[in-house]
């Protein structure tokens, strides 16, 4: 049992993991906290974080968004258990392609999409493949895992509001490009569990989906002006998306690393866990590479090589430039099979 230092409420974590530091949220006052120790000994404020209640008054724009946040998070499609099974499977050092193809074949729609990917210009061989075992052999564990996660997450980027469809499409392209860049950076840096970094890239901006859900379907009062003011909407997203994204990762009971990369990717130096700091830096840098490569949600304010995360990870201009080569072409087949429009 944890006690919130902001409101003294007692609460139990929705998801736990075997790490010394975990990010949690108080369901009473909504503030994010750092839980320390494997037995839930303490919950402390995050350094530099101001009590959300100080700038989320009921009659304010922030207050109105947070009031609608729980219902908006509930309305998001839950990441399917199937994608979690695949992620767990590929983490097993003893897994075989036969094991993976057997699980993938349980989902007919996914099977069709993986066959399409295996026969794409990027992955296609001299002969087309027509069965999932051959497709898995051609694609390999990493690509299959990434494709499954991309298809699952693409379903989140659907909106019934025509005014926000282009924005949703931009957010999805950005999320997938960030995921790809994070996975490639993991390979360059020889970081473990690159499949986790791909997922971290996919969900790093999930808080923006919640904000769009609120603005497009539940706007009223202080929120009315957001719908027709893109610049103000971007400012609100910049301020609230990491915080709201943390609430989403808690609701979905994702492993601890995704909470850290979602909440701290805009300010990696503030990460309280040294063990997870490389992951946070990787997602932060991957997001910037995606932006400067044309998969952005706004104009980047700094060059890739000048970003603090590039220095922290020890990456030079040559390695960073190599990653950006033909990124749009490499992403095309994954975008095709995971497009929200198909779902």
């Amino acid at each position: 049992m944890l006690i919130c230092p902001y409101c003294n409420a007692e609460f139990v974590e929705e998801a736990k993991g075997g790490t010394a530091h975990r990010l949690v949220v108080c369901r009473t006052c909504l503030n994010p906290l750092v839980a320390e120790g494997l037995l839930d000994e303490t919950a402390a404020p995050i350094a530099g974080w101001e009590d959300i209640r100080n700038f989320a008054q009921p009659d304010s724009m922030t207050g109105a968004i947070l009031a609608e946040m729980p219902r908006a998070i509930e309305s998001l499609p839950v990441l399917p258990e199937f994608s979690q099974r695949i992620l767990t499977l590929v983490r097993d050092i003893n897994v075989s392609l036969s094991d993976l193809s057997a699980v993938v074949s349980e989902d007919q729609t996914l099977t069709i999409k993986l066959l399409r990917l295996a026969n794409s210009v990027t992955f296609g061989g001299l002969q087309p493949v027509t069965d999932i075992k051959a497709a898995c052999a051609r694609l390999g564990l990493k690509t299959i895992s990434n494709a499954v996660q991309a298809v699952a997450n693409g379903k989140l980027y659907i909106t019934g509001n025509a005014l926000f469809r282009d924005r949703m499409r931009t957010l999805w392209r950005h999320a997938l490009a960030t995921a790809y860049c994070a996975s490639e950076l993991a390979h360059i840096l020889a970081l473990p569990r690159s499949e986790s970094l791909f997922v971290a890239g996919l969900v790093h901006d999930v808080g923006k989906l919640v904000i769009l859900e609120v603005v497009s379907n539940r706007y009223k009062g202080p929120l009315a002006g957001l719908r027709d003011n893109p610049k103000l909407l971007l400012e609100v997203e910049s301020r609230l998306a990491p915080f709201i994204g943390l609430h989403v990762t808690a609701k979905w009971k994702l492993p601890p690393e995704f909470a850290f990369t979602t909440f701290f990717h805009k300010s990696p130096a503030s990460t309280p866990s040294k063990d997870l700091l490389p992951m946070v830096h990787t997602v932060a840098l991957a997001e910037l590479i995606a932006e400067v490569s044309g998969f952005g949600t706004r104009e980047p304010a700094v060059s890739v090589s000048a970003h603090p995360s590039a220095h922290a990870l020890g990456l030079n201009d040559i390695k960073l430039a190599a990653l950006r080569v033909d990124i749009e072409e490499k992403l095309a087949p994954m975008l095709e099979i995971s497009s929200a429009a198909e779902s």
Side-chain angles (χ1 to χ4, degrees), residues 176-191:
L176 191 56
T178 301
Y180 167 80
C181 292
S183 180
E184 291 300 300
L185 284 171
H187 176 72
I188 293 171
L189 296 164
L191 296 177

Side-chain angles (χ1 to χ4, degrees), residues 32-102:
L33 306 163
V34 179
E36 300 181 22
L38 299 180
L39 299 177
D40 292 347
E41 287 91 352
T42 61
I46 295 172
W49 177 261
E50 181 184 355
D51 188 337
I52 190 71
R53 295 171 297 180
N54 291 344
F55 56 91
Q57 299 300 317
D59 58 346
S60 69
M61 189 173 293
T62 301
I65 290 174
L66 296 190
E68 297 288 347
M69 180 181 72
R71 288 191 292 273
I73 291 176
E74 287 288 346
S75 72
L76 286 180
V78 177
L79 284 181
E81 181 183 349
F82 188 82
S83 64
Q84 299 277 11
R85 285 176 60 196
I86 294 293
L87 186 59
T88 300
L89 194 63
V90 297
R91 285 176 172 174
D92 185 348
I93 60 174
N94 297 314
V95 68
S96 68
L97 284 171
S98 295
D99 297 330
L100 191 59
S101 62

Side-chain angles (χ1 to χ4, degrees), residues 14-172:
E14 293 194 18
K16 296 182 180 180
T19 57
H21 295 83
R22 300 173 310 285
L23 291 184
V24 297
V25 292
C26 175
R27 293 299 180 187
T28 301
C29 68
L30 303 181
N31 276 297
L33 306 163
V34 179
E36 300 181 22
L38 299 180
L39 299 177
D40 292 347
E41 287 91 352
T42 61
I46 295 172
W49 177 261
E50 181 184 355
D51 188 337
I52 190 71
R53 295 171 297 180
N54 291 344
F55 56 91
Q57 299 300 317
D59 58 346
S60 69
M61 189 173 293
T62 301
I65 290 174
L66 296 190
E68 297 288 347
M69 180 181 72
R71 288 191 292 273
I73 291 176
E74 287 288 346
S75 72
L76 286 180
V78 177
L79 284 181
E81 181 183 349
F82 188 82
S83 64
Q84 299 277 11
R85 285 176 60 196
I86 294 293
L87 186 59
T88 300
L89 194 63
V90 297
R91 285 176 172 174
D92 185 348
I93 60 174
N94 297 314
V95 68
S96 68
L97 284 171
S98 295
D99 297 330
L100 191 59
S101 62
V103 175
V104 168
S105 63
E106 296 175 15
D107 189 310
Q108 185 177 7
T109 300
L110 181 60
T111 297
I112 292 171
K113 292 190 174 189
L114 288 179
L115 284 169
R116 187 189 309 170
L117 184 64
N119 289 303
S120 67
V121 173
T122 302
F123 296 99
L126 295 177
Q127 298 293 330
V129 295
T130 57
D131 67 87
I132 193 60
K133 287 185 179 180
C136 288
R138 177 176 289 181
L139 295 172
L141 290 173
K142 176 183 174 182
T143 299
I144 294 168
S145 175
N146 291 351
V148 170
Q149 305 307 327
V151 170
N153 278 267
K155 296 177 181 178
L156 300 173
Y157 292 78
I158 300 172
T159 179
N161 190 321
L163 293 176
F164 289 101
R165 283 176 188 158
D166 285 344
R167 177 63 175 165
M168 282 291 200
R169 189 177 298 110
T170 297
L171 287 175
W172 173 233

